[in-house]
Amino acid sequence: MTTTLVRKAVGVTSLALVAATVVMGLFVTPPDVVQGNLARLLYVHPPVAWVAYLAYGVTSIASGLYLWRPTRSLKWDRIAVASAEVGVVFTGLTLVTGSIWGRPAWGVWWTWDARLTTTAILFVLYLGYLALRRIPLSPETRAKRSAVAALIAFIDVPIVHESVVWWRTLHQGATVATLGANTKVHGIMAWTLLLGFIAFTMVYIWMAMVRYRVETMSAEIEAHQLEAWEAERMAEADTSDAAIGRLLDPGTRAPDEVPTDQGVAPR
Amino acid sequence: MNPYVTAGYSAVLVTLAVYAAWLVIKSARLRRAILKAGSTEAGGRA
């Protein structure tokens, strides 16, 4: 009951914060001196990219906790998949919003720049993680293999983040990390960016909570179906045993077999 | 409004709205299925 209330509160708050970000980003903040109105895209692009990092961070922590014997529980596996799926959605949005910004700013929708390429690899790696989970296996085997895959995929996250430092890239360097006392960003622009980060983080929390619930209920239904299937097979096995018993010992009749004088059942 | 800005915001909002709707619908369906299974079991036992 408390969880439901928390989930609802997070949902309503995130909706309000996203609405506020959109209003601030589109109508309240001034246009940028260099980029003009195009800079408004930057109130959503870095926040969605941050959420993707956060989601994969949670997935790798949960995967590590599953692999570590003292904390091994399928709960961690469900948290890992819930967070990874939301992360894939946000990585897709990072690529799309970046591409939409890149067309007018750089003149191309896509370029094999280090930041863009490593982000695309990240997207494919976690799509692979989700595909791996579709292989029919026992929950424990699936959880173990997925956890290993998630930890391997996470290696790309620091590479994506540092790509603008390690290689000469078209993509700009770290901007948010350099926001400080000497920054020349207009106050309301910086606050709107911060609002965007908080809003999309709240959206991530809500989505991960609901996705976790979906995963838990799916596991419950799967277990229930397995029990029903086992019960059915057991009943079938009992019927077969009884039939074999009658074949081996013809004196024994099933209750529904009515004996007749001529051995022919009456019409 | 700059068309690229409109496209960017629309992509984010529409994608998140569709994914959120899918999550809510899926969650409600599973909940119904669990409740139905529970009531069938209770009926069977009675």
Side-chain angles (χ1 to χ4, degrees), chain A residues 18 25-26 37 40-41 43 85-86 90 93 97 100 103-104 200 206-207 210-211 213-214 217-218 220-221 224, chain B residues 1-2 4-5 7-9 11-13 15-17 19-20 22-24 26-28 30-31 33-34 37-38 41:
Chain A
V18 168
L26 292 181
N37 282 320
R40 295 183 193 283
L41 272 176
Y43 302 121
E85 191 178 285
V86 179
F90 276 89
L93 286 174
T97 52
I100 291 172
R103 180 69 182 88
F200 288 106
W206 179 79
M207 285 182 165
V210 181
R211 184 63 184 82
R213 188 165 180 255
V214 165
M217 288 193 294
S218 298
E220 201 176 315
I221 287 175
H224 187 269
Chain B
M1 187 62 68
N2 184 313
Y4 293 102
V5 174
Y9 275 72
V12 171
L13 297 178
T15 306
L16 292 181
Y19 183 60
W22 178 80
L23 283 177
V24 170
K26 177 101 178 165
S27 174
L30 287 170
R31 190 164 176 268
I34 286 171
E41 259 181 20

Side-chain angles (χ1 to χ4, degrees), chain A residues 218-242:
Chain A
S218 298
E220 201 176 315
I221 287 175
E222 203 176 308
H224 187 269
Q225 282 172 341
L226 193 65
E227 270 174 27
W229 183 83
E230 276 175 355
E232 206 174 295
R233 293 290 90 80
M234 291 291 280
E236 270 177 20
D238 286 349
T239 315
S240 306
D241 286 351

Side-chain angles (χ1 to χ4, degrees), chain A residues 19-214:
Chain A
T21 306
V22 171
V23 171
M24 295 287 285
L26 292 181
F27 307 109
V28 180
T29 52
D32 182 64
V33 177
V34 180
Q35 294 190 31
N37 282 320
L38 195 60
R40 295 183 193 283
L41 272 176
L42 301 180
Y43 302 121
V44 291
H45 177 67
V48 295
W50 144 255
V51 169
Y53 288 173
L54 174 68
Y56 297 143
V58 170
T59 296
S60 54
I61 290 168
S63 300
L65 287 170
Y66 181 80
L67 288 177
W68 197 38
R69 283 185 189 280
T71 52
R72 182 164 293 175
S73 158
L74 283 173
K75 174 184 78 177
W76 297 119
D77 178 57
R78 291 196 285 269
I79 291 175
V81 65
S83 190
E85 191 178 285
V86 179
V88 166
V89 171
F90 276 89
T91 312
L93 286 174
T94 306
L95 290 168
V96 169
T97 52
S99 180
I100 291 172
W101 181 83
R103 180 69 182 88
W106 299 338
V108 286
W109 291 105
W110 179 262
T111 178
W112 294 102
D113 168 272
R115 172 59 72 82
L116 276 66
T117 307
T118 50
T119 307
I121 291 170
L122 188 69
F123 184 60
V124 173
L125 280 172
Y126 279 93
L127 275 180
Y129 168 84
L130 294 178
L132 181 68
R133 301 191 62 92
R134 310 280 290 187
I135 298 172
L137 291 167
S138 73
E140 288 76 17
T141 311
R142 182 174 57 202
K144 197 182 281 182
R145 289 184 185 179
S146 306
V148 173
L151 290 176
I152 292 170
F154 189 72
I155 294 170
D156 194 34
V157 171
I159 296 174
V160 172
H161 188 68
E162 293 301 318
S163 59
V164 291
V165 179
W166 292 346
W167 295 288
R168 282 168 63 88
T169 58
L170 194 57
H171 194 283
Q172 69 192 71
T175 312
V176 178
T178 57
L179 285 179
N182 299 325
T183 184
K184 289 178 181 168
V185 177
H186 191 287
I188 198 153
M189 293 169 95
W191 283 112
T192 306
L193 185 59
L194 180 66
L195 180 64
F197 275 95
I198 296 168
F200 288 106
T201 303
M202 291 296 284
V203 170
Y204 158 74
I205 293 169
W206 179 79
M207 285 182 165
M209 285 173 91
V210 181
R211 184 63 184 82
Y212 174 78
R213 188 165 180 255
V214 165

